[in-house]
Amino acid sequence: MDDDLTFQAADDGLVQEYDELAARSFGHTVGDITHLRGRADVRVALRAGRVVAGGLGLLTNQFFGGAAVPSACLAAGSVAPEERGSRLATSMVRERLRPLRERGAVISTISTVSNGYARHMGWEAPVPVFGWAVSADDLKRSFATGNLDIEHGLTKDALDLRQELARQWNGPVQRPDWWSTWTTAKNALTAYRFSRTGAPAAGWLSFTTKRSDRHGMDLVVHDFWASDPDCAASMLAFLGRHNSRAETVQFRRGALPPYPVLLHHLHRHRVTADAWHPWMLRILDLQGAVRLRGWPADLDLEIPVEIGDERPGSSHRYLLRLCAGSADIVPTRTDGAVAFTRGQFAVWYAGGYRSLTAALMSGVYARCDESLTTLIRAANDREPWLPDHF
């Protein structure tokens, strides 16, 4: 029975119980529960005074269309194994989102292996996510170092560069000041910045090491931020210069921006991909998400759309209006020229549909191809990429 189930913000004692529960649920310690205690909203479910579920929520901004959109990023959700199957996770997610929505979140992002369960609650994956691995020898042979200065450590101009470059994609977190310190300590990262003499940073990367399966070590890259092709090539050449000790350079899932720099430059195409569970996006506040997102300044359009759940009869009609880089979406009585499920709308919002064919094959309905093509063009001037993990 759920009449003895309550939800609340966790104090220090309940955080400790939640930490122990998460370790039992995941099968390993979840370090972020301790590391993010002072930064995250921590919620737990209690049954008869005992913690039976919990999770973290970060209120931060994510870039979409070049604008910072308030987002509820959920992490470390766990349910006691003996409670699974009772739909407690659904109630726990609702209670975790509620305080973040009250503080302004209009979208939400998660990364979960339970993709089907997340889809049922309205999240959808805009793009597949891969980790990439390449021989350090191949990098050394394929990329020239160039004339950039290389210095150890991060500086304010390097962090500012990262925020500037992040705006060029849909999805990256507008990292708070504490973010780099947290991830550096958590993952034992070493950072290097690249610049032309006397100029601010043109790029930077961070990586850690892990023991190779056979001998030596591998590099694992967590950040890769380059402002131009020459800088990107110099950064890859720098990683290749570790070939005397590292057999392989691995780009952690989502760490390498989705441009084909490796494919176009490697002398031997031996880069390998490792598919990972994708990040998933959900629209919490339809009007707020559309209003706060960035939009192309040269578009002026009005299109009626329908958005609803998978079940029949659940759609609601809206008029989507874009003008001079701003947008709004309001209820209307007009039949939709395009019909989305909640998840499909999230994919469109993230720029995940790169063509008319991609949207149609995903199941998006359109009365005419022209309306859907226009909508796709409105949202895909930037590609989806989420290099951050939480």
Side-chain angles (χ1 to χ4, degrees), residues 88-164:
L88 176 55
T90 301
S91 300
M92 190 72 238
V93 165
R94 182 183 64 248
E95 292 299 319
R96 292 166 66 192
L97 286 174
R98 180 178 51 78
L100 301 176
R101 296 183 70 168
E102 291 172 352
R103 292 166 55 192
V106 295
I107 61 174
S108 177
T109 294
I110 58 173
S111 179
T112 175
V113 296
S114 303
N115 303 142
Y117 196 75
R119 288 189 178 95
H120 178 72
M121 292 187 286
W123 278 274
E124 189 51 274
V127 285
V129 172
F130 298 96
W132 299 92
V134 62
S135 160
D137 284 335
D138 280 359
L139 286 182
K140 184 176 181 181
R141 283 193 293 264
S142 301
F143 292 91
T145 301
N147 59 356
L148 272 67
D149 297 330
I150 305 172
E151 296 181 278
H152 172 251
L154 292 178
T155 54
K156 184 179 184 304
D157 65 305
L159 295 175
D160 290 344
L161 173 68
R162 186 265 170 203
Q163 302 286 51
E164 176 187 338

Side-chain angles (χ1 to χ4, degrees), residues 305-326:
V305 299
E306 295 185 22
I307 304 170
D309 299 325
E310 302 285 354
R311 63 183 186 279
S314 66
S315 294
H316 299 277
R317 298 170 182 174
Y318 299 93
L319 182 64
L320 176 65
R321 302 181 295 206
L322 279 74
C323 181
S326 298

Side-chain angles (χ1 to χ4, degrees), residues 177-302:
D177 291 341
W178 53 265
W179 191 283
S180 292
T181 302
W182 161 55
T183 54
T184 296
K186 169 186 172 182
N187 298 299
L189 299 179
T190 301
Y192 290 89
R193 62 189 189 276
F194 298 73
S195 62
R196 293 168 180 86
T197 302
W204 64 271
L205 58 79
S206 70
F207 62 84
T208 188
T209 61
K210 70 174 186 178
R211 292 195 62 83
S212 173
D213 291 338
R214 288 185 287 179
H215 59 81
M217 66 173 187
D218 293 328
L219 297 190
V220 182
V221 178
H222 284 237
D223 280 287
F224 191 96
W225 299 95
S227 59
D228 57 62
D230 289 340
C231 183
S234 292
M235 291 163 61
L236 290 167
F238 171 77
L239 293 171
R241 281 156 51 186
H242 290 75
N243 67 323
S244 62
R245 293 195 58 216
E247 180 180 7
T248 302
V249 177
Q250 300 175 8
F251 295 89
R252 191 173 187 257
R253 58 190 186 275
L256 193 66
Y259 46 61
V261 61
L262 287 179
L263 179 65
H264 289 179
H265 290 84
L266 285 180
H267 293 308
R268 297 191 177 121
H269 295 277
R270 296 190 296 184
V271 61
T272 59
D274 180 23
W276 206 266
H277 52 268
W279 61 280
M280 304 183 77
L281 180 68
R282 174 178 168 184
I283 308 298
L284 302 177
D285 176 347
L286 186 64
Q287 284 83 2
V290 168
R291 176 175 51 85
L292 294 172
R293 189 193 191 278
W295 301 97
D298 60 345
L299 282 182
D300 186 355
L301 62 89
E302 289 190 0

Side-chain angles (χ1 to χ4, degrees), residues 63-66 168-172 279 293 349-351 379 382-385:
F63 291 116
F64 287 92
Q168 300 174 8
W169 306 88
N170 288 330
W279 61 280
R293 189 193 191 278
Y349 184 92
R382 289 170 169 82
E383 291 188 65
W385 178 39

Side-chain angles (χ1 to χ4, degrees), residues 326-342:
S326 298
D328 65 1
I329 187 168
V330 295
T332 185
R333 296 179 181 273
T334 305
D335 290 340
V338 177
F340 297 100
T341 66
R342 289 183 300 165

Side-chain angles (χ1 to χ4, degrees), residues 51-71:
V51 173
V52 292
L56 303 177
L58 288 171
L59 179 63
T60 186
N61 293 328
Q62 288 181 260
F63 291 116
F64 287 92
V69 181
S71 176

